Amino acid sequence: MSNVLKSEWKKVHLPVTATILLSTVAALILTSTVHLQYTMWHRLEAWELGTEYFSLLFPVLITLPLGWNLYYERKHNFVSYVLPRISMKKYLQAKWIVHAISAFFIIFVPYMLSAIWALYFINPTITKGVTPEHVFLEQFANTPLLYAAVLSCWKGLIAVLILSLCFVFAMYLENIFVIITGPFVYTVLENFILAILGLEEFRLITSFEPSTLAVSAISIFSQISGPALLCTMILVTKFFLHKMRKMSVTSL
Amino acid sequence: MDNTIIISEIIFDSLMMYLCCEGMFRSSETKKRRDLILIPIIFLFFMMLRFSVSADTPAGTIFMFEPKGYEIAPANNLFILLFMIMILLFINSVYYRPMDTWAICGTMGAFSIYLAARTLGLAVFSFDTANKIMIEFANRLLSLSFVTFMYYTTFFERLRLILNNGGLSAIIVSSNITVILSTVLSYFSFDILLIKENLFVVSGILFLLLVFDSVLLYYNYSKLQDQKHLHMLEQYIPIIEEVISHIRSRQHEFQNQLLAIDAAVHSADTLEEAQKNVSALTAGITLAPNDRNLLICDSKIITGMLYGKIQQAKLANINISLTIEALFKKCKTSETDWIEVIGILLDNAIEAVSSGDTIYVKARQIDMRLEFTVSNPAASMSNLEFIHLFNKGVTSKKNISHHGFGLYNILRLSERLHGKILTYNEEIASENYVVFGVLLP
């Protein structure tokens, strides 16, 4: 199994590393610049402001370096040649593990490094006085590094779920653009529909970035509902494509 | 702004985007009526982009349309613009099912044309008037008319032809206007007043981009023509070698005949006897008329092609009588265009006649133009019947779905090259022949 994992990593290591590097540089630049136009009460707010665009574009950051891999292996019949050496289930498991770890780090590394950058390397002007409300205010104000680390990990886990949706698309669909943009379209549509229905607290974006809504709207349920809905979407998609449409990984 | 006005604006925008996408992805042969379904889809999508929700207002949650920032692009910030391009890519790739690279080039090209047309419209209606709504409508109407005009000309067809084989430069040409204009719009925060203040700069950038793209497209077009020419050389030069070997074999025959004549002269006792022997020997050694005409033809590619068609007809027991009294290479029309015309006309004639028939192929010079005609035996046809055959999708063959584009393509090619289509009936050996041909510069 470890050899398969290594070989899978070799296939995606270049785009993944490049994405991590570019996102990190972009996050550091944005963290250093965006906060200059705002009044801040805590240092970590520079991080929140700087990574605002990432919260919107994170599905593309994950699918762009990873989504193409399985699709092209299917298109070029590579998966058929893998079958005599390893079972399809094991092969897909290994691929998913490598992709999931990559997706986790594509999100975790830029977020974590920009948090460290905001806390220790830049010098924002901090306003003193009554602090406005914030989710987990105590941790946010007193242990900001721990807060940023936990939130970055959480974001990384949501990235794994987005990757899983992309992976299911890549397993069965024939259109590379649906595979790559599908998860992004899902997050935007889910965001739009739930906002229209007045259920903003249950959106995936709320779970990904809890500070987007008022503190009163955030609860454990609001944190879990977005990912739970996404998990349901992944399972339904897999069931629909595999069981109902009878699509298979080897047929492209 | 009134919702009705906004919805009307969205209708204009979606119609324009539909025409851009349709132009980029559908050729005149593959257009379908059901493509119109894309209009409501794009309309709903554009409506969604302008939709906004205001929560926590005294009147509760309010749903409304964003009134400003949509004067050029159907988005009022960079994120929505990126999202829009992605969704359009998604829609185009699912609906038109293009090749991977063409999905990107086509979508970016459609969006570039949309943005360029809207910027041009804005430049025309940049003056300030009291009735801004009317100006907005006039701008949209002008842009839509411009795109509609391009849609019904050969603009998209040519663009598709060049971009489809363009490689990296195709990606650059199709996307640079989108990228640069999106950056400019983003720089001015999608604020129409700021853009109008700097309209000179925006128009200048667009002009430079259009010039750059035109140069790149021209370069690409020449490259494409060269590639086509090379491809034809590769295809027809081996046939030329076959013609040469055929003539060489005749040369061998001639040498034997010369030896025989020499022997006949030496063995004859009288001059009369020698003359009689020589005339008997030379009776069958002339070059076949078709071979002589093939040797006269100045274009090797066309010679190869004609020889190939003559051999193809021979297999079906059809005779082709060739008369070449013109120089193809002296024409303005390229050899690749001639190949297309000759191929279609000869294929049609070969398919139309039955075994044992003769097809007459003539090429002659008329002033500065070259007339190329193909005549095949058939029942007499009226002018209307001839004209009808040049319509798209019209064919006399059995399998309609795969035929009906040859003569239509000749008509388009002739229009493009400012030539003439020739159709008439003629009688040869008391049999009616229909003649199809072209007169090209």
Side-chain angles (χ1 to χ4, degrees):
Chain A
M1 186 71 165
S2 66
N3 284 338
V4 186
L5 290 174
K6 267 185 208 167
S7 104
E8 286 306 316
W9 169 241
K10 269 184 195 169
K11 288 176 196 169
V12 291
H13 79 279
L14 268 176
V16 168
T17 317
T19 311
I20 291 175
L21 277 174
L22 287 173
S23 325
T24 307
V25 171
L28 295 182
I29 293 170
L30 288 169
T31 306
S32 314
T33 52
V34 177
H35 75 270
L36 299 171
Q37 300 156 14
Y38 295 88
T39 311
M40 291 195 299
W41 284 268
H42 302 99
R43 291 179 75 99
L44 206 54
E45 281 174 73
W47 173 66
E48 282 187 340
L49 290 166
T51 52
E52 211 173 19
Y53 279 108
F54 281 77
S55 309
L56 300 168
L57 294 170
F58 79 98
V60 185
L61 286 181
I62 299 153
T63 55
L64 217 53
L66 298 164
W68 56 272
N69 179 254
L70 181 55
Y71 167 78
Y72 279 107
E73 283 190 359
R74 287 173 62 223
K75 192 178 177 183
H76 298 143
N77 287 326
F78 181 81
V79 279
S80 309
Y81 297 112
V82 164
L83 285 175
R85 298 184 180 88
I86 186 172
S87 76
M88 182 58 78
K89 198 178 170 187
K90 271 190 180 174
Y91 180 69
L92 290 175
Q93 268 174 2
K95 193 179 271 299
W96 182 84
I97 289 168
V98 171
H99 285 199
I101 293 169
S102 305
F104 179 86
F105 282 105
I106 285 171
I107 294 301
F108 178 77
V109 172
Y111 269 98
M112 196 59 222
L113 289 181
S114 56
I116 293 169
W117 185 257
L119 288 172
Y120 302 108
F121 294 95
I122 58 171
N123 240 338
T125 317
I126 303 295
T127 311
K128 289 184 180 170
V130 182
T131 313
E133 277 190 331
H134 195 282
V135 185
F136 304 115
L137 183 61
E138 204 180 312
Q139 290 80 3
F140 184 73
N142 301 328
T143 50
L145 189 64
L146 181 67
Y147 173 88
V150 173
L151 195 57
S152 301
C153 271
W154 175 248
K155 285 170 197 251
L157 292 176
I158 291 176
V160 173
L161 290 180
I162 289 285
L163 176 272
S164 304
L165 181 63
C166 173
F167 198 80
V168 170
F169 285 154
M171 274 165 67
Y172 300 110
L173 298 182
E174 295 169 10
N175 189 323
I176 180 77
F177 300 106
V178 176
I179 293 165
I180 287 178
T181 57
F184 178 67
V185 173
Y186 166 79
T187 49
V188 173
L189 284 179
E190 183 242 39
N191 186 11
F192 183 73
I193 293 165
L194 290 179
I196 283 184
L197 296 173
L199 302 167
E200 291 95 337
E201 63 269 33
F202 302 122
R203 297 172 308 169
L204 186 70
I205 198 77
T206 310
S207 177
F208 190 82
E209 190 57 73
S211 58
T212 49
L213 282 186
V215 179
S216 56
I218 304 299
S219 63
I220 290 289
F221 190 61
S222 72
Q223 284 301 98
I224 289 170
S225 58
L229 196 64
L230 180 55
C231 283
T232 316
M233 174 71 186
I234 295 166
L235 293 173
V236 168
T237 309
K238 168 107 174 63
F239 178 78
F240 176 74
L241 296 175
H242 185 53
K243 299 282 180 194
M244 292 176 77
R245 297 287 301 271
K246 307 279 180 206
M247 286 174 162
S248 113
V249 182
T250 46
S251 66
L252 183 71
Chain B
M1 204 187 286
D2 189 8
N3 280 351
T4 324
I5 293 167
I6 295 178
I7 288 175
S8 316
E9 285 180 5
I10 299 172
I11 291 173
F12 272 105
D13 292 354
S14 37
L15 269 174
M16 201 169 141
M17 186 54 87
Y18 162 77
L19 286 178
C20 292
C21 291
E22 187 76 359
M24 288 307 288
F25 287 100
R26 284 271 195 249
S27 62
S28 48
E29 288 88 22
T30 55
K31 269 174 201 163
K32 288 170 191 161
R33 223 172 244 178
R34 67 164 194 205
D35 291 352
L36 293 170
I37 190 78
L38 277 181
I39 299 175
I41 292 172
I42 296 174
F43 172 76
L44 285 175
F45 171 51
F46 279 9
M47 208 158 83
M48 188 186 131
L49 294 179
R50 289 186 78 157
F51 206 58
S52 74
V53 182
S54 289
D56 305 328
T57 61
T61 306
I62 298 174
F63 300 101
M64 56 180 194
F65 289 113
E66 290 280 348
K68 284 182 182 173
Y70 295 85
E71 288 81 3
I72 292 183
N76 68 348
N77 67 56
L78 192 61
F79 172 70
I80 294 183
L81 198 67
L82 283 175
F83 170 66
M84 203 206 83
I85 294 171
M86 240 175 245
I87 296 284
L88 264 184
L89 183 66
F90 183 89
I91 293 172
N92 289 337
S93 68
V94 170
Y95 187 77
Y96 296 109
R97 296 179 176 274
M99 301 290 284
D100 293 352
T101 328
W102 183 238
I104 299 173
C105 282
T107 306
M108 295 304 273
F111 202 68
S112 291
I113 292 165
Y114 179 97
L115 283 184
R118 291 300 299 276
T119 312
L120 288 174
L122 187 77
V124 173
F125 291 102
S126 59
F127 49 85
D128 228 16
T129 63
N131 200 340
K132 283 189 173 134
I133 292 169
M134 280 313 291
I135 287 296
E136 274 309 307
F137 270 110
N139 172 11
R140 282 184 161 85
L141 195 65
L142 180 76
S143 319
L144 182 64
S145 316
F146 181 58
V147 172
T148 313
F149 171 73
M150 288 198 293
Y151 181 75
Y152 285 105
T153 59
T154 52
F155 172 80
F156 280 110
E157 209 163 298
R158 287 191 194 188
L159 192 67
R160 237 185 0 255
L161 180 77
I162 300 167
L163 293 183
N164 240 329
N165 303 288
L168 182 67
S169 48
I171 296 174
I172 295 170
V173 169
S174 56
S175 54
N176 62 4
I177 292 181
T178 299
V179 173
I180 306 276
L181 280 185
S182 302
T183 314
V184 171
L185 286 175
S186 182
Y187 180 76
F188 292 123
S189 311
F190 290 77
D191 186 342
I192 191 65
L193 293 175
L194 273 175
I195 295 167
K196 274 186 178 175
E197 275 173 27
N198 298 282
L199 198 61
F200 187 69
V201 179
V202 179
S203 308
I205 291 171
L206 183 65
F207 176 73
L208 286 177
L209 280 173
L210 288 174
V211 170
F212 173 76
D213 284 354
S214 309
V215 171
L216 209 59
L217 281 178
Y218 178 74
Y219 168 75
N220 235 357
Y221 183 72
S222 331
K223 219 172 93 179
L224 191 72
Q225 288 296 105
D226 289 347
Q227 274 176 354
K228 242 181 168 181
H229 194 253
L230 200 69
H231 176 70
M232 281 182 177
L233 281 176
E234 279 173 359
Q235 196 178 347
Y236 294 115
I237 289 296
I239 302 176
I240 293 285
E241 281 166 9
E242 209 179 309
V243 179
I244 291 168
S245 89
H246 173 73
I247 288 165
R248 266 191 192 151
S249 69
R250 296 300 310 269
Q251 203 176 9
H252 188 71
E253 204 179 306
F254 294 156
Q255 275 170 352
N256 289 337
Q257 299 276 10
L258 281 173
L259 285 172
I261 290 166
D262 189 48
V265 170
H266 280 103
S267 63
D269 296 330
T270 61
L271 184 64
E272 286 75 28
E273 194 184 345
Q275 275 175 336
K276 198 180 160 192
N277 288 344
V278 169
S279 59
L281 283 166
T282 51
I285 60 165
T286 49
L287 202 61
N290 276 357
D291 291 346
R292 202 172 43 237
N293 277 293
L294 284 173
L295 287 175
I296 289 168
C297 183
D298 61 333
S299 162
K300 284 190 176 62
I301 298 175
I302 294 172
T303 306
M305 202 249 185
L306 286 170
Y307 183 73
K309 291 288 170 202
I310 290 169
Q311 297 306 314
Q312 185 190 329
K314 250 185 200 172
L315 285 175
N317 196 25
I318 296 164
N319 300 317
I320 291 186
S321 165
L322 194 64
T323 313
I324 294 179
E325 295 162 354
L327 299 170
F328 287 94
K329 280 196 168 176
K330 290 266 166 122
C331 292
K332 278 183 192 169
T333 307
S334 67
E335 282 172 304
T336 46
D337 286 335
W338 274 119
I339 287 288
E340 194 180 339
V341 172
I342 296 170
I344 293 168
L345 289 177
L346 274 174
D347 283 342
N348 282 354
I350 291 170
E351 279 189 52
V353 298
S354 30
S355 176
D357 285 341
T358 303
I359 296 168
Y360 292 93
V361 179
K362 286 176 198 161
R364 59 186 181 130
Q365 205 79 37
I366 295 178
D367 300 328
M368 297 297 284
R369 293 175 169 211
L370 195 151
E371 184 192 270
F372 186 90
T373 54
V374 175
S375 329
N376 62 273
S380 173
M381 287 169 79
S382 68
N383 274 346
L384 277 175
E385 282 172 320
F386 274 125
I387 292 167
H388 182 63
L389 279 176
F390 281 87
N391 287 340
K392 189 175 75 181
V394 175
T395 179
S396 55
K397 290 160 197 147
K398 281 175 189 170
N399 190 352
I400 294 172
S401 61
H402 293 96
H403 294 288
F405 299 111
L407 290 178
Y408 172 73
N409 285 343
I410 291 184
L411 180 71
R412 299 294 295 269
L413 192 138
S414 162
E415 280 170 0
R416 178 160 62 82
L417 299 169
H418 307 292
K420 271 184 184 173
I421 294 287
L422 305 168
T423 50
Y424 52 91
N425 296 291
E426 70 177 0
E427 205 164 284
I428 303 171
S430 66
E431 191 178 3
N432 190 70
Y433 276 70
V434 285
V435 184
F436 287 89
V438 284
L439 184 65
L440 295 177

